[in-house]
Amino acid sequence: MLVVGIRLEACQPDSLGQVFPQDSIRLDFKSLTSGVEAKMSSKMPSSNNIAQARRTVQQLRIEASIERIKVSKASADLMHYCGEHAKYDPLLMGIPASENPFKDKKPCTIL
Amino acid sequence: MGEMDTLKKEADGLKAQIEAARKAVNDTTMAAVASGVAAAPRVQLKNRKTLKGHLAKIYGLHWSADNRHMVSASQDGKLLIWDTYTGNKVYAIPLKSSWVMSCSMAPSGNLVASGGLDNMCTVVNIKAASPKTLRELDAHEGYLSHSRFLSDTELLTASGDTTCCLWDLETGKQKVIYKSHVGDCMCLAVSPDQNTFISGACDSTAKLWDIRDGGCKQTFIGHTSDINAIAFYPSGTAVITGSDDCTLKMYDLRADQEVNGYQDAALNAGVTSVSLSSSGRLIFAGYDNFNCNIWDSLKAEKVGVLSGHDNRVSCIGVPDDGLGVCTGSWDSFLKIWN
């Protein structure tokens, strides 16, 4: 079930005097189905709920069975990766103006 | 004991088992391990370009694999394809439904996809003589919140109907349906090796899926509200999530748990979008409070801010070559920073 919360905000026309109705409505489009499901599971068990519960247990069995490595090793590996790639990361190292495709190039006048 | 009670008991037992197994490998914190690392430099990025052209809130952006073009979606009912080097618009694609929530471009640059409250994902061929709708993927029972192309023939979608789906673009049919979330799916990200993808949902969990067999391999908990944004660490071994609970978290896939958290008592705005620099060291996170904060992913410290938008930052993206970061906002502008 999709329940959409709607809140009207002030709607200003743009410079061309156009108004887009969508802009005036702030949609909280996230549905409330999760609330509905929680309510359903507290009722008398129907075959639907049993099927759902079986699926949940099946999924948990899969997740319980995986191998896990230590956080110390995981962290060290992530740090190592960052360290190895840092020198190639333009946003970390900075970009020389001549190699920056987004920088506006100002024309040079030769006097 | 009825079957329902038996199942509940088993489920509780398995959850406890998983929690114990995670604790058993939780021998330190990332913060402790990273304490010896040099701090990331204070990052001061300048707004190099502002792309003007949309007339209403921007809800999505996606860089092309060519690092130069980009598609953006706005509730003015248009997809715009930009040449970010010149700031020019290359194509304008009118949408049947203007309630768009996301857009994406195929790695080839030939196709773009968009969708939203129409529950459909529309795929357009932009390299045809004039942009032409290739497919309308119509099977989700809820809004389309996110999409990503694997190739010109396969597309992943995330939906408010709590499922994600892999589509065959040659037939327009669903190939695999990923069911396990109990809340609206809000975002997805594909692993660098394209064997798995991760989804974030309004049930506060992130799930790792096997793309081919549809199985959910791992579930990551810890957030206390909707996960709006998700991204893979470039190594493919960790994911970063951003949530309405105002925090970001890093989950390591091999340790199967949260290894770092990014929050600030002063920040009480939800995270709307997330993207990483090419080494993974910097996390760019867009918030409801109109700013984008830059976090050091290892030390969990704020190292910069991108301010300049007059409304919520709804989407962020870093191109594959890492040469800049683009923010899209409800103020109708896209800004490129480096």
Side-chain angles (χ1 to χ4, degrees):
Chain A
M1 179 180 75
L2 174 68
V3 176
V4 178
I6 297 186
R7 210 173 75 192
L8 288 177
E9 291 177 341
C11 182
Q12 301 292 338
D14 66 10
S15 54
L16 300 174
Q18 295 175 101
V19 166
F20 289 91
Q22 289 89 337
D23 257 13
S24 69
I25 300 174
R26 189 211 143 107
L27 282 191
D28 295 321
F29 7 65
K30 297 168 181 181
S31 30
L32 300 178
T33 48
S34 39
V36 172
E37 280 225 23
K39 290 202 191 92
M40 274 173 64
S41 61
S42 62
K43 289 194 182 133
M44 287 299 291
S46 68
S47 58
N48 216 353
N49 282 339
I50 299 232
Q52 173 65 38
R54 281 195 200 125
R55 279 195 293 271
T56 301
V57 166
Q58 185 51 30
Q59 179 60 36
L60 285 168
R61 282 191 194 135
I62 293 172
E63 292 179 17
S65 67
I66 66 167
E67 296 279 315
R68 294 170 181 82
I69 67 168
K70 288 201 192 301
V71 171
S72 52
K73 167 121 174 67
S75 304
D77 287 353
L78 286 168
M79 272 176 43
H80 182 75
Y81 182 93
C82 265
E84 288 291 296
H85 290 82
K87 48 186 168 299
Y88 308 113
D89 185 340
L91 293 171
L92 260 186
M93 299 284 106
I95 305 170
S98 54
E99 291 166 30
N100 188 344
F102 303 112
K103 191 165 159 54
D104 277 329
K105 311 231 178 311
K106 296 195 181 0
C108 293
T109 23
I110 301 183
L111 299 168
Chain B
M1 250 197 282
E3 188 181 356
M4 201 58 189
D5 289 327
T6 318
L7 288 169
K8 182 157 187 349
K9 198 155 179 277
E10 188 175 356
D12 289 342
L14 287 164
K15 284 181 192 165
Q17 191 184 319
I18 292 171
E19 192 179 326
R22 284 174 173 160
K23 265 207 172 73
V25 296
N26 192 351
D27 56 344
T28 183
T29 62
M30 165 88 86
V33 175
S35 57
V37 170
R42 182 85 199 156
V43 180
Q44 259 150 355
L45 303 182
K46 296 203 174 83
N47 176 9
R48 300 294 178 185
K49 284 217 153 48
T50 297
L51 304 178
K52 302 182 191 191
H54 279 301
L55 302 171
K57 296 183 165 109
I58 290 175
Y59 273 82
L61 72 86
H62 190 215
W63 284 93
S64 167
D66 72 6
N67 303 309
R68 175 167 183 160
H69 293 90
M70 186 170 68
V71 60
S72 60
S74 162
Q75 291 203 342
D76 61 8
K78 292 233 169 23
L79 287 187
L80 291 179
I81 309 220
W82 307 84
D83 174 343
T84 59
Y85 289 2
T86 60
N88 293 336
K89 298 177 248 319
V90 182
Y91 302 105
I93 297 162
L95 299 170
K96 263 194 200 166
S97 160
S98 56
W99 300 106
V100 66
M101 291 173 70
S102 86
C103 61
S104 56
M105 192 180 297
S108 66
N110 296 331
L111 306 175
V112 294
S114 67
L117 292 189
D118 57 355
N119 295 5
M120 280 198 323
C121 185
T122 303
V123 179
V124 174
N125 180 346
I126 57 173
K127 295 290 170 70
S130 67
K132 171 172 121 72
T133 298
L134 180 74
R135 288 272 168 243
E136 285 178 338
L137 307 173
D138 188 1
H140 276 301
E141 292 170 351
Y143 58 83
L144 198 93
S145 53
H146 212 82
S147 65
R148 280 295 178 259
F149 285 89
L150 295 180
S151 67
D152 277 5
T153 54
E154 288 184 315
L155 174 76
L156 280 166
T157 55
S159 170
D161 67 9
T162 75
T163 71
C164 296
C165 178
L166 177 69
W167 301 82
D168 179 336
L169 296 179
E170 285 172 329
T171 60
K173 299 268 181 286
Q174 294 175 300
K175 253 183 170 168
V176 184
I177 302 178
Y178 309 90
K179 274 192 214 212
S180 181
H181 278 297
V182 295
D184 306 11
C185 292
M186 296 305 295
C187 50
L188 69 88
V190 184
S191 65
D193 67 12
Q194 303 224 320
N195 290 328
T196 59
F197 77 94
I198 191 109
S199 60
C202 291
D203 58 12
S204 316
T205 70
K207 285 178 182 282
L208 180 75
W209 306 87
D210 181 312
I211 290 186
R212 298 298 149 198
D213 71 25
C216 170
K217 297 159 62 122
Q218 288 169 258
T219 300
F220 301 98
I221 58 176
H223 276 296
T224 53
S225 188
D226 308 353
I227 294 178
N228 296 317
I230 201 159
F232 259 97
Y233 211 74
S235 62
T237 56
V239 300
I240 309 281
T241 52
S243 166
D244 271 349
D245 66 12
C246 311
T247 75
L248 296 122
K249 289 182 191 295
M250 178 193 285
Y251 293 98
D252 185 281
L253 302 182
R254 297 175 306 156
D256 186 42
Q257 59 191 281
E258 178 183 341
V259 295
N260 223 346
Y262 312 89
Q263 61 249 340
D264 189 324
L267 270 175
N268 63 352
V271 178
T272 62
S273 45
V274 76
S275 196
L276 278 77
S277 71
S278 61
S279 66
R281 186 69 192 263
L282 300 175
I283 300 172
F284 297 95
Y287 289 75
D288 275 348
N289 68 359
F290 311 178
N291 281 336
C292 169
N293 286 321
I294 310 176
W295 295 89
D296 176 335
S297 64
L298 300 180
K299 287 169 145 350
E301 292 163 352
K302 227 170 71 159
V303 294
V305 69
L306 302 176
S307 48
H309 282 294
D310 295 325
N311 207 325
R312 174 193 284 200
V313 173
S314 56
C315 44
I316 291 197
V318 173
D320 290 343
D321 64 6
L323 272 176
V325 53
C326 185
T327 51
S329 167
W330 280 10
D331 68 8
S332 82
F333 300 123
L334 298 145
K335 288 180 184 283
I336 300 186
W337 315 73
N338 68 15

